[in-house]
Structure formats: C-alpha cells, structure tokens
C-alpha cells in the first residue's frame, strides 16, 4: 500500500459540494452586508436625531429660537458648552444679546418670572402697613380726616 492511496470515504468529496459551499458563503456574505448597511443607516439616523435634539435643547436652555440649529456646523459637538460657545461667537450674526450674568441652569422664562415676583414684593405694601391704614380709616371722625388718611396712604 502506498502513502498516496486514500481509501477513507470521509476524504472523498463530490465535485458539487465545494461549489455549493462557495455559493452559500457568498449568499451569507451578501446577507450580512445588507444587514450591516441597514444597521449603519439606522445608526446614522439615530445619531443625527440625537444630535439635533441635543443642540435644540442647548439652544432652548439659552432662550434662543431652535431654528438656529440648522446653521450650527457638523464639527461642533452637540454639548451645551460647545453650542453656547459657538452661539457667543456668532451672536451678532443672529442678533442675539449674550448676557454674562445669565444663570446656566435656569431658563430665561423662569428668570423673568422670578424677577417679576421680586419686583412685586419689593414695591408692594406689607400687611402691617395695610392694617395701620385700616385702623386710621376706622378712627376718622370727619370727612377731612378721611381725605387726609387716604391721601397719606397713597390709596
């Protein structure tokens, strides 16, 4: 018996089998490529949506119209700090006033409401003052005294 004689049936393959295997591998490769392309397109659309949302949130936090997001370049990170810096650099182009005293964690609407409330509290009268005026009004005996109390109280 020579070394080159193979009588084992497992080593014998038919001619159709390798072609079939190659076809199956090509088919599987095409399917994987298709799945990969689909996943990449999903990833790109989700990344784009997340970037747009982050930029619009950063602009809203600064009290700026969200339509400006269309002008922010793609190389700007969608973080609030990067968008704020870009907005400060190009504020004059969009006619936006950049205030350095703005609190970053408070929306401008809340800041305006707070300012309005503090102005009301500062300019309003205290309950003790109102009680004092009421007591004076009740203790008047004549029309002239009543007019004087009203004029002095600012009513």
């Amino acid at each position: 018996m020579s070394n080159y004689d193979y009588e084992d049936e497992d080593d014998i393959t038919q001619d159709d089998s390798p072609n079939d295997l190659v076809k199956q591998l090509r088919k599987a490769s095409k399917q994987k490529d298709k799945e990969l392309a689909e996943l990449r397109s999903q990833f790109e659309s989700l990344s784009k949506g997340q970037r747009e949302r982050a930029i619009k949130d950063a602009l809203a936090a600064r009290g700026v119209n969200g339509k400006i997001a269309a002008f922010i370049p793609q190389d700007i990170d969608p973080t609030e700090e990067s968008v704020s810096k870009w907005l400060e650099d190009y504020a004059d182009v969009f006619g936006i006033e950049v205030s350095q005293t703005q609190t970053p964690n408070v929306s401008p609407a809340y800041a305006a409401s707070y300012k309005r409330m503090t102005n009301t509290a500062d300019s309003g009268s205290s309950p003790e003052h109102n009680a004092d005026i009421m007591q004076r009004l009740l203790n008047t005996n004549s029309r002239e005294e009543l007019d004087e109390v009203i004029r002095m109280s600012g009513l």
Side-chain angles (χ1 to χ4, degrees):
M1 183 167 178
S2 73
N3 289 337
Y4 298 108
D5 290 334
Y6 292 97
E7 293 183 17
D8 192 7
E9 290 181 17
D10 290 340
D11 290 342
I12 298 174
T13 58
Q14 295 178 356
D15 291 340
D16 295 346
S17 189
N19 271 344
D20 249 3
L21 183 60
V22 170
K23 286 181 183 178
Q24 289 174 357
L25 287 174
R26 284 184 183 154
K27 184 178 177 183
S29 176
K30 286 181 182 179
Q31 186 177 3
K32 293 292 180 186
D33 289 344
K34 183 179 175 183
E35 289 175 7
L36 180 63
E38 183 179 322
L39 289 174
R40 280 186 179 162
S41 68
Q42 285 179 353
F43 175 75
E44 288 173 2
S45 67
L46 289 175
S47 295
K48 183 179 178 183
Q50 184 180 16
R51 174 183 166 70
E52 289 174 358
R53 182 80 249 153
I55 289 175
K56 285 185 179 183
D57 288 345
L59 291 173
R62 296 285 308 250
V64 178
N65 191 339
K67 292 180 181 179
I68 293 178
F71 299 105
I72 296 178
Q74 293 294 322
D75 62 338
I76 300 295
D77 290 333
T79 61
E80 189 169 340
E81 296 82 23
S82 298
V83 172
S84 294
K85 182 174 180 344
W86 182 87
L87 193 59
E88 288 172 5
D89 292 343
Y90 293 97
D92 58 333
V93 174
F94 297 106
I96 300 169
E97 291 185 28
V98 179
S99 62
Q100 299 298 331
T101 60
Q102 183 179 9
T103 307
N105 294 332
V106 178
S107 73
Y110 288 135
S113 297
Y114 177 76
K115 187 175 181 179
R116 190 173 59 246
M117 286 188 295
T118 55
N119 287 343
T120 302
D122 291 343
S123 64
S125 58
S126 66
E128 295 85 22
H129 179 67
N130 291 342
D132 183 44
I133 293 172
M134 183 59 108
Q135 188 62 35
R136 287 184 187 175
L137 288 172
L138 293 174
N139 291 335
T140 58
N141 293 329
S142 67
R143 172 128 179 123
E144 292 80 24
E145 288 178 7
L146 182 63
D147 290 339
E148 181 69 23
V149 170
I150 291 173
R151 188 171 37 82
M152 296 299 283
S153 66
L155 296 176

